[in-house]
Amino acid sequence: MHLRNLCEPIKVGGLELRNRIVMPAVETGFYGPARGPDRIREFYAERAKGGAGLIICKPPSPFVEGRRPGVTIRRDTLVAELRALTDAIHSHGGRIAAQLSARIMWSRREGEQAKLVGPSDVSAPRGGRPMPPPRPLSVEEIEQIIAEKSAEARIALEAGFDMLEIHAHGGRSLASHFISPLTNRRTDGYGGSRENRYRFLFEQLRGAREQAGQDFPIACRISGADFLDGGCTLEDTKMAAPMLENAGFCAIDVTTGWHEASVAFFQTSVRPGSFVYLAEEVKKVVSGPVIGGPRVSDPVFADRLIAEGRIDLVYMARALFADPELPNKVREGRLDEIRPCFACNHCFEVSQGFTKPISCSVNFQMGREGECTVCLAPNPKKVVVVGGGPAGMEAARVAALRGHRVTVIERQDRLGGNLNVAVIPPFKDDISRVIRYFEWQLELLGVEVKLGEEATPESIVGSNADVVILATGALPIVPGIPGVKGANVATAEGVLTGKEQTGEKVVVIGGGMIGCEVAE
């Protein structure tokens, strides 16, 4: 199948992109002393090599990192590191944009601890809980921040970025706090009317234009709606979108609401494309290209969105985490070979904690592209994998890629293991795509699969295997509660699969994802 619309080139502010697939800016946690700039460069270079049309990244800011006690980022060093990044993207035919983001944690000078700041002393609640109020910025401080963003634009230009994007989305963006009537209660030129609330954003654009010139492409990333009581609605965004275009933004990247909103945007249980309507509505009031998402990881669905004129480009972050080669596989018609993202949110969960770099449940190489490469083994062996769940299938896939002769022995009559249970609750069809991907990979790689066969010591010895990999899966932990083994106690797996029955009055012990799905 050839997805012509998704693969069609497009011009964004004079910059030609090879297709309509955009990797949006994400928090990776890859910047840092562990591997220096190599890790982030290798991560993005792999996505450019895989064929992404545009990659948007968040470069480190010398005005943020440089103010942390004991941390200094020299401009000349930063430019050199970023130049190596852009060169790597360009070497694979990709285009890269730098996202400029004024953040809500800020300090006036180097060595001073960053504090929470905002247009007013009003914060958005997180998860229904009130948050500490920010310190309102003075006009002089606002001007200082705008000057810093202008300097960052100059660094990005020196480093060879093809495009800029100004971040005005979500609760961590200072611009979004100025835009929202919920958090902006100012009575001066930066508050009140819609024009005044957008003034901070427009002055960032003006500062970037002074550095880049009038023809350089600069986009804007905004919330289609805040999904917060008292915040911006979709109608507010639609009224503001023509202002953004008239101000000189070459494209509008429309995403969902603030992280503080009590609305699910990215989870498995959110139907794919549920929030594309936000970008679709913005597209109706502007003439330039509109980028839309989220929860669009299926390229067939993405192609249809573009064909129907609902959006011009689609942003895919997690889909490109799972398979950086997705764009090339789409172009070559190898859709069955795409390793799918099933929206488990492991990557998002880690990034929100800022405790360690992000990783992917289905792509062990993500973030370790330079150190985890799959190459042919010098001495191919006979490998037997006991267990055909996700771990066993992945072990078999990688072993076969390395040239080993692989056999998988699975006791059940199908591959997938506990994934076959996880897919049972509603709206979790993406997990089925993961199972199908592995089944197809094992077939392509010539892996022998024995279903309905239980491995025994005798059968393993008789196989003459050089290596045996035990991937027999996980078992639930049974708590030491009196009566837990009684006839009136069932397991989540038993209830989901229908193997165990419940009465009319049911108590579910545990309120995580599994407990909630069983209760539903």
Side-chain angles (χ1 to χ4, degrees):
M1 179 186 296
H2 179 63
L3 304 181
R4 179 178 59 82
N5 301 284
L6 191 59
C7 296
E8 186 179 13
I10 185 174
K11 279 194 173 183
V12 178
L15 177 67
E16 182 158 339
L17 308 179
R18 56 188 171 186
N19 56 49
R20 308 297 182 96
I21 299 173
V22 177
M23 181 168 188
V26 293
E27 297 283 357
T28 63
F30 295 158
Y31 292 110
R35 292 198 61 215
D38 293 343
R39 191 172 192 178
I40 194 75
R41 182 177 68 249
E42 291 159 357
F43 168 75
Y44 281 121
E46 192 71 14
R47 273 80 201 158
K49 181 181 177 182
L54 176 65
I55 291 172
I56 307 173
C57 77
K58 295 184 177 184
S61 166
F63 302 104
V64 177
E65 284 81 2
R67 288 190 180 128
R68 295 176 184 168
V71 178
T72 302
I73 293 182
R74 291 189 4 246
R75 174 173 170 151
D76 57 344
T77 302
L78 180 58
V79 169
E81 291 178 358
L82 293 177
R83 169 63 75 173
L85 169 61
T86 60
D87 285 347
I89 302 303
H90 294 153
S91 70
H92 295 295
R95 295 290 179 262
I96 183 167
Q99 186 183 82
L100 308 180
S101 179
R103 310 181 191 186
I104 56 175
M105 297 299 294
W106 182 80
S107 61
R108 299 183 190 89
R109 59 187 66 87
E110 188 169 330
E112 181 181 294
Q113 186 65 44
K115 300 289 180 62
L116 186 65
V117 297
S120 310
D121 60 351
V122 180
S123 61
R126 181 180 288 272
R129 304 188 305 273
M131 299 296 292
R135 177 180 64 79
L137 292 162
S138 68
V139 172
E140 292 75 20
E141 289 173 327
I142 292 172
E143 292 172 347
Q144 180 182 345
I145 293 172
I146 292 167
E148 291 173 358
K149 297 302 112 181
S150 177
E152 287 182 15
R154 168 51 57 190
I155 291 173
L157 293 169
E158 292 177 10
F161 282 88
D162 303 295
M163 182 175 169
L164 299 175
E165 179 180 83
I166 298 181
H167 186 210
H169 149 253
R172 293 175 189 160
S173 162
L174 188 55
S176 63
H177 282 253
F178 272 90
I179 291 169
S180 175
L182 172 64
T183 49
N184 187 344
R185 308 292 175 83
R186 297 177 77 98
T187 57
D188 61 5
Y190 290 95
S193 68
R194 180 176 292 105
E195 290 76 11
N196 283 356
R197 287 186 282 111
Y198 274 85
R199 180 180 170 187
F200 179 73
L201 174 61
F202 291 147
E203 289 188 352
Q204 287 186 70
L205 173 62
R206 188 195 68 227
R209 281 268 172 251
E210 290 174 354
Q211 302 293 336
Q214 292 304 309
D215 297 329
F216 194 81
I218 303 178
C220 180
R221 184 169 175 85
I222 60 170
S223 300
D226 294 346
F227 292 99
L228 292 169
D229 291 339
C232 290
T233 65
L234 175 57
E235 288 306 311
D236 292 326
T237 303
K238 289 177 66 175
M239 285 187 278
M243 293 168 46
L244 300 175
E245 190 168 58
N246 293 334
F249 285 111
C250 68
I252 301 178
D253 183 356
V254 182
T255 184
T256 51
W258 286 29
H259 297 308
E260 288 78 2
S262 298
V263 178
F265 298 127
F266 315 103
Q267 286 76 1
T268 308
S269 54
V270 176
R271 283 194 176 279
S274 293
F275 295 94
V276 170
Y277 77 93
L278 298 171
E280 182 180 3
E281 288 297 311
V282 169
K283 182 171 167 55
K284 293 177 181 178
V285 298
V286 297
S287 59
V290 172
I291 309 169
R295 277 297 276 131
V296 181
S297 60
D298 179 4
V300 176
F301 179 45
D303 186 83
R304 186 165 71 247
L305 292 174
I306 295 170
E308 293 172 352
R310 298 174 65 183
I311 55 177
D312 299 294
L313 303 99
V314 59
Y315 63 80
M316 293 183 173
R318 294 175 299 170
L320 292 173
F321 288 174
D323 194 339
E325 292 186 84
L326 180 149
N328 285 342
K329 291 177 180 178
V330 169
R331 178 174 52 82
E332 296 164 5
R334 297 187 291 134
L335 302 185
D336 289 337
E337 295 182 45
I338 295 173
R339 179 169 44 209
C341 165
F342 65 100
C344 69
N345 265 4
H346 171 70
C347 55
F348 188 75
E349 180 182 20
V350 173
S351 71
Q352 294 310 293
F354 295 106
T355 55
K356 55 184 179 180
I358 59 175
S359 55
C360 177
S361 293
V362 297
N363 180 8
F364 75 95
Q365 292 171 294
M366 195 197 83
R368 300 186 295 173
E369 288 79 6
E371 57 188 88
C372 289
T373 56
V374 179
C375 54
L376 288 174
N379 299 304
K381 298 178 180 180
K382 185 174 183 181
V383 178
V384 169
V385 180
V386 181
M393 292 187 293
E394 175 69 347
R397 183 187 73 88
V398 175
L401 282 172
R402 299 203 64 209
H404 299 296
R405 303 185 308 280
V406 184
T407 300
V408 175
I409 301 175
E410 169 55 47
R411 181 173 55 185
Q412 303 298 325
D413 60 358
R414 56 181 173 171
L415 294 171
N418 282 334
L419 290 180
N420 291 310
V421 181
V423 76
I424 293 173
F427 312 128
K428 299 183 76 175
D429 298 341
D430 283 347
I431 296 178
S432 296
R433 294 171 57 211
V434 176
I435 300 173
R436 290 196 298 272
Y437 161 78
F438 276 118
E439 290 174 334
W440 180 239
Q441 285 292 301
L442 298 190
E443 183 176 336
L444 280 179
L445 294 168
V447 173
E448 182 183 10
V449 177
K450 296 182 178 180
L451 298 176
E453 181 174 319
E454 185 163 357
T456 65
E458 293 75 21
S459 65
I460 294 297
V461 171
S463 70
N464 294 318
D466 298 306
V467 175
V468 178
I469 299 176
L470 296 182
T472 51
L475 295 174
I477 298 175
V478 180
I481 301 173
V484 74
K485 296 183 179 179
N488 63 336
V489 178
T491 65
E493 178 181 349
V495 173
L496 288 171
T497 57
K499 294 178 181 178
E500 298 180 75
Q501 303 300 314
T502 65
E504 293 184 3
K505 187 175 182 180
V506 180
V507 174
V508 178
I509 308 299
M513 177 70 85
I514 295 175
C516 291
E517 288 175 345
V518 170
E520 184 183 14

